[in-house]
Amino acid sequence: DTGVSQDPRHKITKRGQNVTFRCDPISEHNRLYWYRQTLGQGPEFLTYFQNEAQLEKSRLLSDRFSAERPKGSFSTLEIQRTEQGDSAMYLCASSFRNSYNEQFFGPGTRLTVL
Amino acid sequence: GDSVTQMEGPVTLSEEAFLTINCTYTATGYPSLFWYVQYPGEGLQLLLKATKADDKGSNKGFEATYRKETTSFHLEKGSVQVSDSAVYFCALSVETSGSRLTFGEGTQLTVNP
């Protein structure tokens, strides 16, 4: 399968703990996007990378959130000191330079903060 | 800023009925427009897209036409099937904003046999 993969698919944690999610984009896709989707809502943009450079961060991305893409391939999204309001589906998408607006989504990581 | 407004759901139809899901948008630049579909337990999939005014996107019997004058991109299908039951999201992206997607709130469609 050469699609976008995300790990883990589900994460349950206690409030105040740190969590890290991983996204592996489609090979050769140089853009990678993170979105967050809460129940009954559409996904909301968090941040994106072009190769290893993080080019934009949403105001939704508080300083408890950090994302990296160190070698321009996979990316990690870390949430420190989780809060119950962080419970959501975290989606990753990737796209290729010939068609940046055509994004391919992974299955998502569902985070539940107790 | 950019925004997308979809008709409120949920929508329940009988098999072979005609489907319309309304979508309107506001954008700071010239957007590309998309419909994504999310089947139960699955990830978001691109259903169709249109990149300039009067373009018609189509796929799997679904169609949507980019109407700049009314800032709309309504999704239509002439005869829905039970397998079309899913959540449908209208979205836009603007190249000068990094092509990030701005989504509507989604419309849940249920098709009964």
Side-chain angles (χ1 to χ4, degrees):
Chain A
D1 184 12
T2 57
V4 178
S5 61
Q6 293 187 245
D7 184 68
R9 294 290 304 275
H10 303 273
K11 179 70 177 178
I12 300 174
T13 191
K14 294 183 179 179
R15 190 176 52 187
Q17 298 296 303
N18 299 343
V19 294
T20 299
F21 310 141
R22 177 179 170 126
C23 171
D24 286 87
I26 293 172
S27 177
E28 297 180 355
H29 278 197
N30 61 332
R31 279 204 184 166
L32 186 150
Y33 298 80
W34 286 99
Y35 296 85
R36 181 172 68 188
Q37 184 179 19
T38 53
L39 203 60
Q41 300 296 315
E44 295 174 297
F45 168 77
L46 293 178
T47 188
Y48 87 97
F49 294 83
Q50 182 161 308
N51 302 313
E52 65 276 8
Q54 187 173 20
L55 295 187
E56 186 179 356
K57 293 192 290 187
S58 163
R59 287 171 296 175
L60 293 176
L61 212 65
S62 77
D63 53 11
R64 295 185 299 105
F65 288 69
S66 62
E68 294 182 339
R69 195 183 182 199
K71 297 181 180 179
S73 56
F74 73 91
S75 175
T76 57
L77 178 67
E78 180 183 16
I79 309 174
Q80 295 183 327
R81 306 181 303 281
T82 52
E83 302 173 356
Q84 287 185 326
D86 297 331
S87 296
M89 178 77 85
Y90 289 84
L91 299 170
C92 176
S94 69
S95 62
F96 189 59
R97 64 174 62 85
N98 287 346
S99 185
Y100 281 136
N101 62 19
E102 188 159 343
Q103 296 177 23
F104 295 82
F105 282 80
T109 294
R110 180 169 296 285
L111 172 66
T112 302
V113 182
L114 302 176
Chain B
D2 300 337
S3 68
V4 174
T5 302
Q6 288 182 234
M7 66 183 291
E8 291 185 12
V11 174
T12 302
L13 297 173
S14 298
E15 206 165 22
E16 299 184 2
F18 184 85
L19 169 71
T20 299
I21 302 177
N22 290 337
C23 170
T24 57
Y25 67 89
T26 58
T28 52
Y30 198 115
S32 295
L33 303 174
F34 307 85
W35 279 99
Y36 279 83
V37 59
Q38 192 168 39
Y39 297 103
E42 298 186 16
L44 278 168
Q45 300 175 25
L46 177 63
L47 180 60
L48 54 83
K49 71 174 186 179
T51 57
K52 60 183 187 297
D54 300 323
D55 271 1
K56 178 185 283 188
S58 61
N59 187 24
K60 300 181 181 180
F62 290 89
E63 294 182 338
T65 301
Y66 189 142
R67 300 289 188 200
K68 198 167 191 298
E69 64 275 14
T70 54
T71 61
S72 65
F73 192 56
H74 304 320
L75 182 68
E76 296 182 336
K77 186 174 186 183
S79 176
V80 293
Q81 305 300 310
V82 172
S83 58
D84 294 326
S85 297
V87 182
Y88 292 82
F89 293 94
C90 185
L92 68 82
S93 74
V94 178
E95 195 171 329
T96 52
S97 299
S99 296
R100 66 177 183 270
L101 289 163
T102 300
F103 287 87
E105 55 270 31
T107 301
Q108 171 77 58
L109 170 67
T110 301
V111 180
N112 294 319

